[in-house]
Amino acid sequence: MDYTSLLLLGLAGLGIISSNSTVTIAMVALLLVRLLGLHQAFPWLEKYGLTVGIIILLIGVMAPLASGRISLQTIGQAFLHWKSLTAIGVGILVAYLGGRGTTLIGSQPTIVAGLLIGTVIGVAVFKGVPVGPLIAAGILSLIIGRM
């Protein structure tokens, strides 16, 4: 077994230890792609994986609206309460940072390793959720002054 496969296996182990099925499933899926010799899938995953993931995330976030659990009236009332207005502002900021992060990751692939390590540590040790790499890259882009 090569070092990359061992690294994926180790990260899957961290996912198991930290009871984070998201990390475990992702690492095992990538390990299976490697072990089954499906290397032609990696360029597709690198090119479209992030987009597909964001689409699935957006579907999950918008499902309560689509199902009718959140009404248009509730959305309208969001503009009347300071907490909801703050949530709108934070949502705008996070979307902006995610956009900057996507651009930075595309133009500076060498930082991806650091972002991944930080994200896995955050998920495994601090019980975080692995949605942070884009936002982390966006914050990093503000720090290093790149976009």
Side-chain angles (χ1 to χ4, degrees), residues 103-126:
T103 303
L104 182 66
I105 286 172
S107 67
Q108 304 257 336
T110 56
I111 66 156
V112 173
L115 292 170
L116 292 176
I117 291 168
T119 298
V120 169
I121 290 171
V123 168
V125 177
F126 300 109

Side-chain angles (χ1 to χ4, degrees), residues 37-104:
L38 302 173
H39 296 282
Q40 67 273 17
F42 286 120
W44 187 90
L45 288 170
E46 290 176 22
K47 186 173 183 180
Y48 299 110
L50 186 61
T51 301
V52 170
I54 290 171
I55 290 168
I56 292 170
L57 181 64
L58 192 55
I59 288 170
V61 169
M62 296 302 290
L65 177 65
S67 71
R69 203 181 82 187
I70 295 178
S71 67
L72 290 176
Q73 180 183 4
T74 302
I75 291 173
Q77 290 173 344
F79 293 96
L80 303 176
H81 193 275
W82 73 269
K83 288 180 182 178
S84 297
L85 288 170
T86 303
I88 291 168
V90 169
I92 291 168
L93 175 64
V94 166
Y96 169 73
L97 289 173
R100 285 185 66 110
T102 302
T103 303
L104 182 66

